[in-house]
Amino acid sequence: MSAEESKQERHKARQQKVKQKVDAKIAAATQEKGLLLIITGNGKGKSTSGFGTITRAVGHGLKCAVAQFIKGTWDNGERNVLDKLGVEFQVMATGFTWETQNKETDTAAAQVVWKECQRMLSDESIDVVLFDELTYMVNYGYIELEEVLEALNKRPKMQSVIITGRAAHRELIELADTVSEVKNVKHAFESGVKAQKGIDW
């Protein structure tokens, strides 16, 4: 056997071991239920990831709904697409809370959207829900953590929920099935580059 053939055989043996491990995990994953996914961390891309999952689900014919907190007054490229595909949007239209600087009106606006979120979480016809930037609402005290946990626990068995935002509360993380943390290594905005339509929003 030549050196190249020996190399190929070793590679094949390694890949067969990998396949066996993957196959074993697939075989063991027999439970079926809706998932709670948390996308948190200080890096760029949390909302983008959430909207990507919604788009994937719509592409498979699933019924989806979105509630947006924080960034509600911006033109939204994802909404421009998903609206046309029948995705429901509920938007806290006050914009960034650091611009409004009014806790009373922000809390009231958050509560209006949260009531719609509770409705979504009790609707068995909705397959996937995205609560974009919900973590801020919990951390600011605009929405009670206990209410969120209760609604998530009572939702239909096969309904999946995606929650995005920085500093996800530990109890949300504990409840979640999948948690991803987006780390900020480098960001153009911090170097003085203006946010770009179609890339940043």
Side-chain angles (χ1 to χ4, degrees), residues 88-103:
E88 175 189 354
F89 272 76
Q90 296 294 334
V91 180
M92 181 177 155
T94 56
F96 293 108
T97 54
W98 53 86
E99 289 178 352
T100 61
Q101 300 175 12
N102 188 322
K103 184 169 184 178

Side-chain angles (χ1 to χ4, degrees), residues 5-79:
E5 288 173 332
S6 178
K7 183 179 177 182
Q8 288 293 339
E9 284 297 316
R10 289 196 303 273
H11 173 75
K12 184 178 179 180
R14 281 195 303 271
Q15 293 306 102
Q16 284 176 341
K17 287 181 181 178
V18 171
K19 183 181 185 316
Q20 287 172 357
K21 289 180 181 178
V22 172
D23 287 347
K25 287 182 180 180
I26 292 171
T30 58
Q31 186 179 2
E32 290 189 38
K33 66 169 192 165
L35 300 178
L36 173 59
L37 299 93
I38 306 286
I39 307 168
T40 191
N42 67 355
K44 171 180 164 49
K46 296 180 292 294
S47 296
T48 303
S49 178
F51 277 113
T53 304
I54 291 293
T55 305
R56 173 187 289 162
V58 170
H60 285 295
L62 301 181
K63 183 178 178 181
C64 299
V66 175
Q68 275 194 291
F69 300 92
I70 301 286
K71 294 182 276 196
T73 60
W74 278 33
D75 182 30
N76 183 306
E78 293 94 343
R79 184 175 183 182

Side-chain angles (χ1 to χ4, degrees), residues 17-168:
K17 287 181 181 178
V18 171
K19 183 181 185 316
Q20 287 172 357
K21 289 180 181 178
V22 172
D23 287 347
K25 287 182 180 180
I26 292 171
T30 58
Q31 186 179 2
E32 290 189 38
K33 66 169 192 165
L35 300 178
L36 173 59
L37 299 93
I38 306 286
I39 307 168
T40 191
N42 67 355
K44 171 180 164 49
K46 296 180 292 294
S47 296
T48 303
S49 178
F51 277 113
T53 304
I54 291 293
T55 305
R56 173 187 289 162
V58 170
H60 285 295
L62 301 181
K63 183 178 178 181
C64 299
V66 175
Q68 275 194 291
F69 300 92
I70 301 286
K71 294 182 276 196
T73 60
W74 278 33
D75 182 30
N76 183 306
E78 293 94 343
R79 184 175 183 182
N80 293 343
V81 172
L82 294 170
D83 258 342
K84 298 171 187 173
L85 299 173
V87 175
E88 175 189 354
F89 272 76
Q90 296 294 334
V91 180
M92 181 177 155
T94 56
F96 293 108
T97 54
W98 53 86
E99 289 178 352
T100 61
Q101 300 175 12
N102 188 322
K103 184 169 184 178
E104 185 176 342
T105 58
D106 284 344
T107 300
Q111 283 296 317
V112 169
V113 177
W114 173 238
K115 293 299 180 192
E116 297 297 334
C117 294
Q118 289 174 305
R119 173 185 56 78
M120 293 173 185
L121 290 171
S122 64
D123 187 343
E124 291 189 3
S125 75
I126 301 177
D127 300 299
V128 187
V129 181
L130 168 61
F131 296 150
D132 187 37
E133 313 283 12
L134 176 65
T135 61
Y136 291 95
M137 301 300 100
V138 171
N139 293 338
Y140 293 165
Y142 298 171
I143 299 172
E144 291 296 324
L145 172 65
E146 290 73 19
E147 286 189 19
V148 176
L149 294 172
E150 182 180 6
L152 289 170
N153 279 318
K154 289 183 176 179
R155 76 186 193 276
K157 181 184 176 185
M158 295 308 297
Q159 186 183 77
S160 292
V161 179
I162 308 157
I163 296 175
T164 69
R166 294 185 180 205

